[in-house]
Amino acid sequence: MSNPLFDTLFGKHAGKSQVFLHLVDGQTISYAAFLGMAAQYAGALTKMGLTPGDRLAVQIAKSPQALAVYAACAQAGVVFLPLNTAYTADEVAYFVENSGARLVLCDQSSHAAMVPVAAACGAALATMNADGSGSFHDMASDLADSFETVDRTEDDLAAFLYTSGTTGRSKGAMLTQANLLSNAQTLMAEWRFTQDDVLLHALPIFHTHGLFVASNITLLAGGQMIFLPSFNLDQVIAHLPKATTMMGVPTFYTRLLGDDRFTKDLAAHMRLFVSGSAPLLAETHVKFEQRTGLRILERYGMTETNMNTSNPYDGERRAGTVGFALPGVELKITDSQTGETLPQGEIGEIEVRGPNVFKGYWQMPEKTAEELRADGFFITGDLGQIDQDGYVHIVGRNKDLIISGGYNIYPKEIELLLDAEPNVQESAVIGVPHPDFGETVVAILVPDGDSAPDLDAIKANISKSLARFKHPQRIIVMPELPRNTMGKVQKKALRDQYKDLFAS
Ligand code: MLC
Ligand code: AMP
C-alpha cells in the first residue's frame, strides 16, 4: 500500500512544525499546516467526484494554496494539469477539452469566461483566488485535515504539462510519478540540497522549472522556500539575504545584474544560483562571476524530460555549456536524417533516455512515435555538440521555437492566426535577440493584393485569442518572404536581417 510520489515528497513531513514556506508578508506556513490544507483539498476533490487518474486543470495565481492543490492531487491520485495564468479563455478551452479535465479551477476574475469552457466539456468549475479564497476553499474548509492517501504506483500518471508543437496544437506530456521522483532525487544529490536550504522561489509554478525542479527538490530535502508570487526585483533583493539558493531563467540574472543593489556582499552567503529553461549567455555568466565571485550553475531540461544535464556542483561550471548528462540519463548526439550517433565534437540532434523521460503525449500516438523512439530515446529538437571534456553545448534548435523570458512560443500558432487576417497573404514569425527576454517575437506580413493590412486591427484581434507573452513586439510588412529553391521560407535570413531590432 503506497503512493511513492506523495509519500516521498509530502507524506513524510506529516506533523512537522518546521517552516516550509515563507511568504512575502512575513507569514510562514509549517509543513504540518501545508499538509493539513492539502488533505482538505484532497477531500474536496474526492467529494466532487474525482477519482484516481482524472485530470484537474488549474489556472490560478501562485500561492501556498495553489501548491497545496498539487500535493492534494498527488494524495488523491488525480493528474495535476497546471496552466499559464497568461493564457486566454480560447487557449484554456483547448487544454480542458483535450485533457478531458473533470474539474477546472480558476480565479474569480476569469470565472465568467470559464463557465462555457467547463460546460462544453462537462467539467465542474470552482474558484481559487490569489489569497486562497474561493469556492474550492469554501468546499474544503469543513473537511478533515487528514486524508487516506490513495494507492498509486511509480508508473501512474502524476501530471500533464502541455507543450506546443511546431506544426499544430499543443500536446499533453504525460509525466509519471517515477519521472518526477527520479529527477528530484538525482538533482537533490547533484546540487547538495539539505533541510538547511532556503530556496528563493520567484518562478511560476505552472512549469517544470518552478513546480518540479524547485518545489520537488525542496520537499524531498525537507528544506524551506521563500515563496514570492512572481519575479519582482525589489522583493528578490529584499529576500536574498535569508536564502541559501535560487533558481531562475536567464532574465532573472540579467535583471539582477542590471541593478546596483545586487552586490557581491548581497550574494556572498548564497550557496547556489541555478539557471535554465533558456540559454544563459556566456556574457551573463561571466558578468555574474565578476560581480559576485560566484558561478551560476546552468542546467538543461524540458517539459517532456524534466532535467537532462547539469554543470557540476564541484568542478568547473563552464559558461555557454549545460554540463554533463545527469546520473541515470543517457545523452547522445545524432544525425537528424539517419538517427545515427555522430562522432564526438560534431553538431547534431540531442537525444536523451532515462527514468526522467515522459510516457508520451496524451492521446497522440503518432506524435509520440515521431519524438520518442521505441528504444526509449527522446528526440529533443535541440541541436548540440559535446566538447572534448564532455560538456554539452546547445548550439541551436531543430524545432521552430522562440523562448522569451523562459516561456516557449511556437511561431506556427501565431502564423495561423495572422494568415487568417484580412489583406494578409502570408506571414512568418521569428524570434530575435532581446536584452531582457533573451528572444522576442517579430511577425513579418506579406500583403494580399494592393490594400495594406490594418496592423492595429490585427493586433487587437490576435490579443483576443493569444496570451500576452506571445504577441509580436513588432509587425513588419514586406512584399515577399525570402524562400529557398524548394520554396521553403528562409527564417534564418529573416532572423539575420532583424537581429538588431532590439539591440540595447
Ligand atoms: C511577461 N511578459 C512577457 C513575459 N513575461 N513577454 C514575453 N515573454 C515573457 N516571458 C509580458 C507581460 O505580459 C507584460 O506585458 C510585459 O511582458 C512586461 O511584464 P513584466 O512585468 O516585465 O514581466 P514579468 O512579470 O516581470 O515577467 C517576466 C519574467 C516571467 C521573465 C519574470 O516571464 C517569468 O517568470 N518567466 C519564467 C518562465 C519559466 O518559469 N519558464 C520555465 C519553463 S520550464 P504588457 O505589454 O502587458 O506590459 C522549461 C524546462 C526547463 O523550460 O528547462 O526548465
Ligand atoms: P519547455 O518545452 O518549456 O520545457 O522548453 C524546453 C526547451 O528549453 C528545451 O528544448 C531547450 O530548447 C530550452 N532550454 C532549456 N534549458 C536550456 C538551457 N540551459 N540552455 C538552452 N536552452 C535550454
Side-chain angles (χ1 to χ4, degrees), residues 90-167:
D90 276 6
E91 288 167 316
V92 173
Y94 170 78
F95 301 118
V96 172
E97 196 256 306
N98 183 267
S99 65
R102 288 284 308 276
L103 171 64
V104 179
L105 211 49
C106 71
D107 192 273
Q108 183 60 42
S109 60
S110 54
H111 183 263
M114 285 300 132
V115 169
V117 169
C121 320
L125 182 63
T127 58
M128 178 177 270
N129 304 315
D131 62 0
S133 66
S135 64
F136 190 68
H137 173 82
D138 295 345
M139 205 171 337
S141 58
D142 292 339
L143 302 178
D145 62 1
S146 64
F147 179 86
E148 191 165 341
T149 304
V150 169
D151 275 339
R152 298 266 90 186
T153 69
E154 288 212 328
D155 204 35
D156 281 322
L157 296 181
F160 276 13
L161 291 193
Y162 274 80
T163 161
S164 294
T166 40
T167 48

Coordinates of all heavy atoms in Angstrom, one line a residue, residues 90-167:
D90 N -9.7 31.2 -24.8 CA -9.6 30.3 -26.0 C -8.5 29.3 -25.8 O -8.7 28.1 -26.2 CB -9.1 31.2 -27.2 CG -10.3 31.9 -27.9 OD1 -11.4 31.8 -27.3 OD2 -10.1 32.5 -28.9
E91 N -7.4 29.7 -25.3 CA -6.3 28.8 -25.1 C -6.6 27.7 -24.1 O -6.4 26.5 -24.3 CB -5.0 29.5 -24.8 CG -4.4 30.3 -25.9 CD -3.4 31.4 -25.5 OE1 -3.5 32.1 -24.5 OE2 -2.3 31.4 -26.2
V92 N -7.2 28.2 -23.0 CA -7.6 27.2 -21.9 C -8.6 26.2 -22.4 O -8.5 25.0 -22.1 CB -8.1 28.0 -20.7 CG1 -8.6 27.0 -19.6 CG2 -7.0 28.8 -20.1
A93 N -9.5 26.7 -23.2 CA -10.6 25.8 -23.7 C -10.0 24.6 -24.4 O -10.5 23.4 -24.2 CB -11.5 26.6 -24.7
Y94 N -8.9 24.8 -25.2 CA -8.3 23.6 -25.8 C -7.7 22.6 -24.8 O -7.9 21.4 -24.9 CB -7.2 24.1 -26.8 CG -6.4 23.0 -27.3 CD1 -6.8 22.2 -28.3 CD2 -5.1 22.7 -26.7 CE1 -6.1 21.1 -28.8 CE2 -4.4 21.6 -27.2 CZ -4.9 20.8 -28.2 OH -4.1 19.7 -28.6
F95 N -7.0 23.1 -23.8 CA -6.4 22.2 -22.8 C -7.4 21.4 -22.1 O -7.3 20.3 -21.8 CB -5.5 23.0 -21.9 CG -4.4 23.8 -22.6 CD1 -4.3 25.2 -22.5 CD2 -3.4 23.1 -23.3 CE1 -3.3 25.9 -23.1 CE2 -2.4 23.8 -24.0 CZ -2.4 25.2 -23.9
V96 N -8.5 22.1 -21.7 CA -9.6 21.5 -20.9 C -10.2 20.4 -21.8 O -10.4 19.2 -21.3 CB -10.6 22.5 -20.4 CG1 -11.8 21.8 -19.8 CG2 -10.0 23.5 -19.4
E97 N -10.5 20.7 -23.0 CA -11.2 19.8 -23.9 C -10.3 18.6 -24.2 O -10.6 17.4 -24.1 CB -11.6 20.5 -25.1 CG -12.6 19.8 -26.0 CD -12.0 19.2 -27.2 OE1 -11.3 19.9 -27.9 OE2 -12.2 18.0 -27.4
N98 N -9.0 18.9 -24.6 CA -8.1 17.9 -25.0 C -7.8 16.9 -23.8 O -7.6 15.7 -24.0 CB -6.8 18.5 -25.5 CG -5.8 17.4 -26.0 OD1 -5.0 17.0 -25.3 ND2 -6.0 17.0 -27.3
S99 N -7.6 17.4 -22.6 CA -7.3 16.6 -21.5 C -8.5 15.8 -20.9 O -8.3 14.9 -20.2 CB -6.6 17.4 -20.4 OG -7.6 18.3 -19.9
G100 N -9.7 16.3 -21.3 CA -10.9 15.7 -20.7 C -10.9 15.9 -19.2 O -11.3 15.1 -18.4
A101 N -10.5 17.2 -18.8 CA -10.5 17.5 -17.4 C -11.8 17.3 -16.7 O -12.9 17.7 -17.3 CB -10.0 18.9 -17.2
R102 N -11.9 16.8 -15.5 CA -13.1 16.7 -14.8 C -13.5 17.9 -14.0 O -14.6 18.2 -13.6 CB -13.1 15.5 -13.8 CG -13.0 14.1 -14.4 CD -14.4 13.6 -14.9 NE -15.5 13.7 -13.9 CZ -15.7 12.8 -13.0 NH1 -15.0 11.7 -12.9 NH2 -16.7 12.9 -12.1
L103 N -12.4 18.7 -13.6 CA -12.6 19.9 -12.8 C -11.7 20.9 -13.3 O -10.5 20.7 -13.6 CB -12.3 19.6 -11.3 CG -12.3 20.7 -10.4 CD1 -13.7 21.5 -10.3 CD2 -11.9 20.3 -9.0
V104 N -12.2 22.2 -13.4 CA -11.4 23.3 -13.7 C -11.4 24.3 -12.5 O -12.4 24.6 -12.0 CB -11.9 24.1 -15.0 CG1 -11.1 25.3 -15.3 CG2 -12.0 23.2 -16.2
L105 N -10.2 24.7 -12.1 CA -10.0 25.6 -11.0 C -9.5 26.9 -11.6 O -8.4 26.9 -12.2 CB -9.0 25.0 -10.0 CG -9.1 25.2 -8.6 CD1 -10.5 25.0 -8.0 CD2 -8.1 24.3 -7.8
C106 N -10.2 28.0 -11.4 CA -9.8 29.3 -11.9 C -9.9 30.4 -10.9 O -10.6 30.2 -9.9 CB -10.6 29.6 -13.2 SG -12.3 30.0 -12.9
D107 N -9.4 31.5 -11.3 CA -9.5 32.7 -10.4 C -11.0 33.3 -10.6 O -11.5 33.1 -11.7 CB -8.5 33.8 -10.9 CG -8.4 34.9 -9.9 OD1 -9.1 35.9 -10.0 OD2 -7.5 34.8 -9.0
Q108 N -11.5 33.9 -9.6 CA -12.8 34.5 -9.7 C -12.9 35.5 -10.9 O -13.9 35.5 -11.6 CB -13.2 35.3 -8.4 CG -14.6 35.8 -8.3 CD -15.7 34.8 -8.5 OE1 -15.6 33.7 -7.9 NE2 -16.7 35.1 -9.3
S109 N -11.8 36.2 -11.2 CA -11.8 37.2 -12.3 C -12.0 36.5 -13.6 O -12.5 37.2 -14.6 CB -10.5 38.0 -12.3 OG -9.5 37.1 -12.5
S110 N -11.7 35.2 -13.8 CA -12.0 34.6 -15.1 C -13.1 33.6 -15.0 O -13.3 32.9 -16.0 CB -10.7 33.9 -15.6 OG -10.2 33.0 -14.6
H111 N -13.9 33.6 -13.9 CA -14.9 32.7 -13.8 C -16.0 32.7 -14.9 O -16.3 31.7 -15.5 CB -15.6 32.9 -12.4 CG -16.7 31.9 -12.1 ND1 -18.0 32.1 -12.4 CD2 -16.6 30.6 -11.7 CE1 -18.7 31.1 -12.1 NE2 -17.9 30.1 -11.6
A112 N -16.4 34.0 -15.2 CA -17.4 34.1 -16.3 C -17.0 33.5 -17.6 O -17.7 32.8 -18.3 CB -17.8 35.6 -16.4
A113 N -15.7 33.8 -17.9 CA -15.1 33.3 -19.2 C -15.0 31.8 -19.2 O -15.0 31.1 -20.2 CB -13.8 33.9 -19.5
M114 N -14.8 31.2 -18.0 CA -14.6 29.8 -17.9 C -15.9 28.9 -17.8 O -15.8 27.7 -18.0 CB -13.7 29.5 -16.6 CG -12.3 29.8 -16.7 SD -11.5 28.9 -18.1 CE -10.7 30.2 -18.9
V115 N -17.0 29.6 -17.5 CA -18.2 28.8 -17.4 C -18.5 28.1 -18.7 O -18.7 26.8 -18.7 CB -19.4 29.8 -17.0 CG1 -20.8 29.0 -17.2 CG2 -19.3 30.2 -15.6
P116 N -18.5 28.7 -19.9 CA -18.7 28.0 -21.1 C -17.6 27.0 -21.4 O -17.9 25.9 -22.0 CB -18.8 29.0 -22.2 CG -18.3 30.3 -21.6 CD -18.4 30.2 -20.2
V117 N -16.4 27.3 -21.0 CA -15.3 26.4 -21.3 C -15.5 25.1 -20.6 O -15.4 24.0 -21.2 CB -13.9 27.0 -20.9 CG1 -12.8 26.0 -20.9 CG2 -13.6 28.3 -21.7
A118 N -15.8 25.2 -19.3 CA -16.0 23.9 -18.5 C -17.3 23.2 -19.0 O -17.3 22.0 -19.1 CB -16.1 24.3 -17.0
A119 N -18.3 24.0 -19.2 CA -19.6 23.4 -19.6 C -19.5 22.6 -20.9 O -20.1 21.5 -21.0 CB -20.7 24.5 -19.8
A120 N -18.7 23.1 -21.9 CA -18.6 22.5 -23.2 C -18.0 21.1 -23.0 O -18.2 20.2 -23.9 CB -17.7 23.3 -24.1
C121 N -17.3 20.8 -21.9 CA -16.7 19.5 -21.8 C -17.2 18.8 -20.6 O -16.7 17.7 -20.2 CB -15.2 19.6 -21.5 SG -14.4 20.9 -22.5
G122 N -18.3 19.3 -20.0 CA -18.9 18.6 -18.9 C -18.0 18.6 -17.7 O -18.2 17.7 -16.8
A123 N -17.1 19.6 -17.6 CA -16.2 19.6 -16.4 C -16.9 20.5 -15.3 O -17.6 21.4 -15.6 CB -14.9 20.2 -16.8
A124 N -16.6 20.2 -14.1 CA -17.0 21.0 -13.0 C -16.1 22.3 -12.9 O -15.0 22.2 -13.5 CB -17.0 20.3 -11.7
L125 N -16.6 23.3 -12.3 CA -15.8 24.6 -12.2 C -15.8 25.1 -10.8 O -16.8 25.1 -10.1 CB -16.4 25.6 -13.1 CG -15.7 27.0 -13.2 CD1 -14.4 26.8 -13.8 CD2 -16.6 27.9 -14.1
A126 N -14.6 25.4 -10.3 CA -14.6 26.0 -8.9 C -13.5 27.1 -9.0 O -12.7 27.2 -9.9 CB -14.2 25.0 -7.9
T127 N -13.5 28.0 -7.9 CA -12.6 29.1 -8.0 C -11.6 29.0 -6.8 O -11.9 28.5 -5.8 CB -13.3 30.5 -7.9 OG1 -14.1 30.5 -6.6 CG2 -14.2 30.7 -9.0
M128 N -10.4 29.5 -7.1 CA -9.3 29.7 -6.1 C -8.6 31.0 -6.5 O -8.0 31.1 -7.6 CB -8.4 28.6 -6.1 CG -7.3 28.8 -5.0 SD -6.2 27.4 -4.8 CE -7.0 26.5 -3.6
N129 N -8.7 32.0 -5.6 CA -8.1 33.3 -5.9 C -6.6 33.4 -5.3 O -6.2 32.4 -4.6 CB -8.9 34.4 -5.2 CG -10.3 34.3 -5.8 OD1 -10.6 34.2 -7.0 ND2 -11.3 34.4 -4.9
A130 N -5.9 34.5 -5.6 CA -4.5 34.6 -5.2 C -4.3 34.4 -3.7 O -3.3 34.0 -3.3 CB -4.0 35.9 -5.7
D131 N -5.4 34.8 -2.9 CA -5.2 34.7 -1.5 C -5.7 33.4 -1.0 O -5.9 33.2 0.2 CB -5.9 35.9 -0.8 CG -7.4 35.9 -1.0 OD1 -7.9 35.0 -1.8 OD2 -8.1 36.8 -0.5
G132 N -6.1 32.5 -1.9 CA -6.5 31.1 -1.5 C -8.0 31.0 -1.3 O -8.6 29.9 -1.2
S133 N -8.7 32.2 -1.3 CA -10.2 32.2 -1.1 C -10.8 31.7 -2.4 O -10.2 31.6 -3.4 CB -10.7 33.6 -0.7 OG -10.5 34.4 -1.8
G134 N -12.2 31.4 -2.2 CA -12.9 31.0 -3.4 C -13.8 29.8 -3.1 O -13.7 29.2 -2.0
S135 N -14.5 29.3 -4.1 CA -15.5 28.2 -3.8 C -14.8 26.9 -3.5 O -15.3 26.1 -2.7 CB -16.4 28.1 -5.0 OG -15.7 27.7 -6.1
F136 N -13.6 26.7 -4.0 CA -12.9 25.5 -3.7 C -12.5 25.4 -2.2 O -12.7 24.4 -1.5 CB -11.6 25.3 -4.6 CG -11.0 23.9 -4.5 CD1 -11.7 22.8 -5.0 CD2 -9.8 23.8 -3.9 CE1 -11.1 21.5 -4.9 CE2 -9.2 22.5 -3.8 CZ -9.9 21.4 -4.3
H137 N -12.0 26.6 -1.7 CA -11.6 26.7 -0.3 C -12.9 26.5 0.6 O -12.8 25.8 1.6 CB -11.0 28.0 0.0 CG -10.7 28.2 1.4 ND1 -9.6 27.8 2.1 CD2 -11.4 28.9 2.4 CE1 -9.7 28.1 3.4 NE2 -10.8 28.8 3.6
D138 N -13.9 27.1 0.2 CA -15.2 27.0 1.0 C -15.6 25.6 1.1 O -16.1 25.1 2.1 CB -16.3 27.9 0.3 CG -16.0 29.4 0.3 OD1 -15.0 29.7 1.1 OD2 -16.6 30.1 -0.4
M139 N -15.5 24.9 0.0 CA -15.9 23.5 0.0 C -15.0 22.6 0.9 O -15.4 21.7 1.5 CB -15.8 23.0 -1.4 CG -16.7 21.8 -1.7 SD -16.7 21.5 -3.5 CE -16.2 22.9 -4.3
A140 N -13.7 23.0 0.9 CA -12.7 22.2 1.6 C -12.6 22.5 3.1 O -12.2 21.6 3.9 CB -11.3 22.4 0.9
S141 N -13.0 23.7 3.4 CA -12.7 24.2 4.8 C -13.3 23.4 5.9 O -12.8 23.4 7.0 CB -12.9 25.7 4.9 OG -14.3 25.9 4.7
D142 N -14.5 22.8 5.6 CA -15.2 22.0 6.7 C -14.6 20.5 6.7 O -15.1 19.8 7.6 CB -16.7 21.9 6.3 CG -17.3 23.2 6.5 OD1 -16.8 24.1 7.2 OD2 -18.4 23.4 5.9
L143 N -13.8 20.2 5.8 CA -13.4 18.8 5.7 C -12.2 18.5 6.7 O -11.5 19.4 7.1 CB -13.0 18.4 4.3 CG -14.1 18.6 3.2 CD1 -13.6 18.3 1.8 CD2 -15.4 17.8 3.5
A144 N -12.0 17.2 6.9 CA -10.9 16.8 7.8 C -9.6 17.2 7.3 O -9.4 17.2 6.0 CB -11.0 15.2 8.0
D145 N -8.6 17.5 8.2 CA -7.3 17.8 7.7 C -6.4 16.6 7.6 O -5.2 16.7 7.8 CB -6.7 19.0 8.5 CG -6.5 18.6 10.0 OD1 -6.9 17.4 10.3 OD2 -6.1 19.4 10.8
S146 N -7.0 15.5 7.5 CA -6.2 14.3 7.2 C -7.0 13.5 6.1 O -8.2 13.7 6.0 CB -6.1 13.4 8.4 OG -7.3 12.9 8.8
F147 N -6.3 12.8 5.3 CA -6.9 12.1 4.1 C -6.2 10.8 3.9 O -5.0 10.8 3.9 CB -6.8 13.0 2.9 CG -7.4 12.5 1.6 CD1 -8.8 12.6 1.3 CD2 -6.6 11.8 0.7 CE1 -9.3 12.1 0.2 CE2 -7.2 11.2 -0.4 CZ -8.5 11.4 -0.7
E148 N -7.0 9.8 3.6 CA -6.3 8.5 3.4 C -5.7 8.5 2.0 O -6.4 8.5 1.0 CB -7.3 7.4 3.5 CG -6.6 6.0 3.5 CD -7.5 4.9 4.0 OE1 -8.5 5.2 4.7 OE2 -7.2 3.7 3.7
T149 N -4.4 8.5 1.9 CA -3.7 8.6 0.7 C -4.0 7.4 -0.2 O -4.1 6.3 0.2 CB -2.2 8.6 1.0 OG1 -1.9 9.6 1.9 CG2 -1.3 8.8 -0.3
V150 N -4.3 7.8 -1.5 CA -4.7 6.8 -2.5 C -3.5 6.0 -3.0 O -2.5 6.6 -3.2 CB -5.4 7.5 -3.7 CG1 -5.6 6.6 -4.9 CG2 -6.8 8.1 -3.2
D151 N -3.7 4.7 -3.1 CA -2.5 3.9 -3.6 C -2.2 4.2 -5.0 O -3.1 4.3 -5.9 CB -2.9 2.4 -3.5 CG -2.7 1.9 -2.2 OD1 -1.9 2.5 -1.4 OD2 -3.3 0.8 -1.8
R152 N -1.0 4.3 -5.3 CA -0.5 4.6 -6.7 C 0.8 3.8 -6.9 O 1.5 3.5 -5.9 CB -0.3 6.1 -7.0 CG -1.4 7.0 -6.9 CD -2.1 7.2 -8.2 NE -3.1 6.2 -8.5 CZ -3.8 6.1 -9.6 NH1 -3.5 6.9 -10.6 NH2 -4.7 5.2 -9.8
T153 N 1.1 3.6 -8.2 CA 2.5 3.0 -8.4 C 3.3 4.1 -9.1 O 2.8 5.1 -9.6 CB 2.4 1.8 -9.3 OG1 2.0 2.3 -10.7 CG2 1.4 0.8 -8.9
E154 N 4.6 3.8 -9.2 CA 5.5 4.8 -9.8 C 5.2 5.0 -11.3 O 5.6 6.0 -11.9 CB 6.9 4.2 -9.7 CG 7.5 4.3 -8.4 CD 9.0 4.6 -8.4 OE1 9.6 4.1 -9.3 OE2 9.5 5.2 -7.4
D155 N 4.5 4.0 -11.9 CA 4.2 4.2 -13.3 C 2.9 4.9 -13.6 O 2.5 5.3 -14.7 CB 4.0 2.7 -13.9 CG 4.3 2.8 -15.4 OD1 5.2 3.6 -15.8 OD2 3.6 2.0 -16.1
D156 N 2.2 5.3 -12.5 CA 0.9 6.0 -12.7 C 1.2 7.5 -13.0 O 2.2 8.0 -12.6 CB 0.1 6.0 -11.4 CG -0.7 4.7 -11.3 OD1 -1.2 4.1 -12.3 OD2 -0.8 4.1 -10.1
L157 N 0.3 8.1 -13.7 CA 0.4 9.5 -14.1 C 0.3 10.4 -12.9 O -0.6 10.3 -12.1 CB -0.6 9.9 -15.2 CG -0.5 9.1 -16.5 CD1 -1.5 9.6 -17.5 CD2 0.9 9.3 -17.1
A158 N 1.2 11.4 -12.9 CA 1.1 12.4 -11.8 C 0.7 13.8 -12.4 O 0.0 14.5 -11.7 CB 2.5 12.6 -11.2
A159 N 1.1 14.1 -13.6 CA 0.9 15.4 -14.1 C 0.8 15.4 -15.7 O 1.5 14.5 -16.3 CB 1.9 16.4 -13.7
F160 N 0.1 16.3 -16.2 CA 0.1 16.6 -17.6 C 0.6 18.1 -17.8 O 0.1 19.0 -17.1 CB -1.3 16.7 -18.2 CG -1.9 15.4 -18.6 CD1 -1.4 14.2 -18.2 CD2 -3.1 15.4 -19.4 CE1 -2.0 13.0 -18.6 CE2 -3.7 14.3 -19.8 CZ -3.2 13.1 -19.4
L161 N 1.7 18.2 -18.5 CA 2.1 19.6 -18.9 C 2.0 19.7 -20.4 O 2.6 18.9 -21.1 CB 3.5 19.9 -18.4 CG 3.8 19.9 -16.9 CD1 5.2 20.5 -16.7 CD2 2.8 20.8 -16.1
Y162 N 1.3 20.8 -20.8 CA 1.1 20.9 -22.3 C 2.3 21.7 -22.9 O 2.9 22.6 -22.3 CB -0.2 21.7 -22.6 CG -1.3 20.7 -22.6 CD1 -1.9 20.2 -21.5 CD2 -1.7 20.2 -23.9 CE1 -2.9 19.2 -21.5 CE2 -2.7 19.2 -23.9 CZ -3.3 18.7 -22.8 OH -4.3 17.8 -22.8
T163 N 2.7 21.2 -24.0 CA 3.8 21.8 -24.7 C 3.4 21.9 -26.2 O 2.8 21.0 -26.7 CB 5.1 21.0 -24.5 OG1 6.0 21.3 -25.5 CG2 4.8 19.5 -24.6
S164 N 3.7 23.1 -26.8 CA 3.2 23.3 -28.1 C 4.0 22.5 -29.1 O 5.1 22.1 -28.9 CB 3.3 24.8 -28.5 OG 2.4 25.5 -27.6
G165 N 3.4 22.4 -30.3 CA 4.1 21.7 -31.4 C 4.5 22.6 -32.5 O 3.9 23.7 -32.6
T166 N 5.4 22.2 -33.3 CA 5.9 23.0 -34.4 C 4.8 23.1 -35.5 O 4.8 23.9 -36.3 CB 7.2 22.6 -35.0 OG1 7.2 21.2 -35.0 CG2 8.3 23.0 -34.1
T167 N 4.0 22.1 -35.6 CA 3.1 22.0 -36.7 C 1.6 22.3 -36.3 O 0.8 22.7 -37.1 CB 3.1 20.6 -37.3 OG1 3.0 19.7 -36.3 CG2 4.4 20.5 -38.1

